[in-house]
Structures are given as structure tokens and as C-alpha cells.
Amino acid sequence: MKKHIVVFAFLSICNSVIGQTMEKEDLYGIWQVEKNLTETTDPNFKELIEGFLVSTFRFEENGTFEMNSPNKSKLFLMTLEMIKNKKWKFDHYRQLIKIGSEKDSFSIMGIFVKEKSGKIIFQVSESNLEFEMVKI
């Protein structure tokens, strides 16, 4: 029993030192990219990055998700079309925003959320795209 208490205390301390976890309520509102953290020479990724840099992400309490961007590149418009009129939900344990619908199991796009040095980072799953975000 004593061993379990020590292990639990150790894990609790590690969790608070490594980083804070986000709650769903922390995500409500409008977010925009403050800084690109992605390094790439791939022209397709550069085109996507340019689209994300001028985008806003809206996460509403009722699960509505909206992403807007003035970027009109073909590749980025395809991304916007894929997520148009989709919902979002948050997997607290994985710290993952899942975008889609019940029908597609919220699998269209995923965004891992982490806090690093007091900054909120969104990392688009299935890619190396990573952005420092700010709520506006």
C-alpha cells in the first residue's frame, strides 16, 4: 500500500512539472496562429503553413467548429472544404481536438494541444505542422 502511495505521488508531481493539461472549456473561443514552429522545405507544407498563419479557429461550446482564412491557395481551400460544417470534440486524455462528425468518428482532422513554456501549441496530427496559438 505504501509503495502505491509513493508511486501515485511521484506520478502526480511529474504530471504537474511536465505540463498542464487543457480542459475542453479552455478551448472555447477563437484562436489564431501567433507563430509557426514548423520547419520544412516541402512546398506543399509551406502552402499549408501560409494558410494556417492567417486562419482563425472557432471552438464553440455546442461543438460547432469553424475555421476561416483569406488564403485562397488550392491546397488550403481543399483543407477548408474538408472541415466545412463539421463539429469538434476533445479527447482530454490524449489532449486531442477531433474534428469531423459522428458518422466519420471525428476523424477528418486532429489537433494535439500542449502547453510549452506558458504558450499553447497546436500540432496538426498526421503531419509535422506545429503552431504557437493565441486566443483572441
Side-chain angles (χ1 to χ4, degrees):
M1 177 68 170
K2 188 176 182 181
K3 191 180 213 180
H4 293 292
I5 293 172
V6 170
V7 170
F8 178 74
F10 175 75
L11 291 174
S12 296
I13 291 169
C14 286
N15 188 38
S16 64
V17 169
I18 292 171
Q20 300 295 323
T21 58
M22 296 287 288
E23 300 295 331
K24 183 177 182 178
E25 296 78 19
D26 297 329
L27 297 169
Y28 297 156
I30 301 172
W31 294 80
Q32 70 181 20
V33 175
E34 186 167 80
K35 182 178 180 184
N36 171 39
L37 303 175
T38 308
E39 293 184 27
T40 184
T41 56
D42 184 325
N44 289 328
F45 276 124
K46 285 184 176 187
E47 188 175 325
L48 283 173
I49 290 167
E50 289 171 6
F52 279 107
L53 287 174
V54 293
S55 296
T56 58
F57 301 70
R58 180 188 304 265
F59 300 98
E60 294 186 13
E61 290 181 48
N62 66 3
T64 299
F65 172 75
E66 189 177 294
M67 189 166 131
N68 293 305
S69 178
N71 186 290
K72 301 297 182 208
S73 72
K74 184 177 180 181
L75 186 57
F76 199 74
L77 286 174
M78 285 174 38
T79 302
L80 290 177
E81 190 60 33
M82 279 187 340
I83 58 177
K84 185 178 182 180
N85 299 320
K86 298 302 179 191
K87 300 284 188 182
W88 74 285
K89 69 180 189 174
F90 186 59
D91 180 338
H92 173 78
Y93 295 104
R94 295 178 61 204
Q95 293 290 284
L96 174 65
I97 300 167
K98 297 165 74 174
I99 299 165
S101 65
E102 293 291 336
K103 190 175 183 178
D104 59 42
S105 302
F106 290 86
S107 63
I108 292 178
M109 184 165 85
I111 302 170
F112 287 100
V113 182
K114 58 187 172 184
E115 185 178 348
K116 190 180 194 181
S117 303
K119 302 288 185 176
I120 302 300
I121 309 298
F122 282 10
Q123 190 253 323
V124 181
S125 66
E126 307 289 328
S127 75
N128 66 342
L129 299 176
E130 192 171 53
F131 305 100
E132 186 176 299
M133 303 297 289
V134 63
K135 192 185 279 191
I136 54 175

